[in-house]
Amino acid sequence: MTDELTRPLASLRQAGLPFYPLILVFATGQVSDEDCMAMKRVPMPELGAPFDSSLSHTLSEAFAKNSSIHDGAIIFTRNRQGEPYTLSAWSMRIVSKKKPRAPEPNFGSAYNSALSLSMAENIDMCCIISPDRTTLFQNGTSHFSET
């Protein structure tokens, strides 16, 4: 896990969010339509926000504009490693069919979906932020963090 992602995620959880759980996906390149599908939202909040300390404010504004954006994953992409991530999609349904190499306990559909998606091409990391912890997923494995 890189500090470029884990530090902002920790501060985001500590800042408090307008909704839980929050599912975030980070990718270098495009996320495949075979792994995620857009759920239509009207109005759709703006895209292009950076993944940085302003994210809590961006989420609050988006939630005020359309409270249904809490349903599904929020996707952040970048073109190449080393570039910053920017918000590229709201309210994505995770439909990945990837299977983890080792059995995992069933912690619910959000957990199972993020775990599966973390194995997909171009996915750097997925995470689920809940009030009591952040769960990080990379390459079909999970890690819980309480900070």
Side-chain angles (χ1 to χ4, degrees):
M1 312 293 161
T2 65
D3 283 346
E4 117 189 82
L5 293 177
T6 55
R7 282 187 190 157
L9 288 172
S11 64
L12 179 61
R13 195 178 116 236
Q14 292 166 355
L17 297 170
F19 55 87
Y20 292 99
L22 177 65
I23 304 169
L24 302 175
V25 176
F26 300 90
T28 300
Q30 295 294 318
V31 176
S32 169
D33 291 343
E34 293 179 8
D35 294 312
C36 286
M37 322 174 6
M39 293 187 278
K40 187 174 182 173
R41 301 290 180 230
V42 178
M44 180 65 77
E46 291 184 34
L47 300 174
F51 178 72
D52 62 16
S53 61
S54 68
L55 184 57
S56 179
H57 179 71
T58 300
L59 292 171
S60 294
E61 283 186 341
F63 190 71
K65 187 173 189 174
N66 185 340
S67 62
S68 71
I69 61 107
H70 74 84
D71 187 22
I74 301 169
I75 310 289
F76 291 85
T77 59
R78 62 185 180 180
N79 292 323
R80 289 179 272 310
Q81 286 188 357
E83 291 182 356
Y85 291 96
T86 58
L87 197 155
S88 60
W90 291 101
S91 204
M92 297 294 285
R93 178 175 289 125
I94 299 173
V95 294
S96 177
K97 304 274 190 250
K98 310 289 188 274
K99 295 181 182 175
R101 292 174 279 287
E104 287 269 343
N106 185 356
F107 288 116
S109 62
Y111 180 96
N112 296 333
S113 295
L115 180 69
S116 177
L117 182 60
S118 75
M119 299 170 59
E121 185 176 358
N122 298 334
I123 302 299
D124 300 325
M125 186 174 79
C126 300
C127 78
I128 299 174
I129 301 174
S130 59
D132 60 336
R133 70 177 167 210
T134 299
T135 309
L136 308 173
F137 303 87
Q138 280 187 304
N139 300 316
T141 61
S142 63
H143 171 74
F144 295 102
S145 170
E146 293 183 12
T147 57

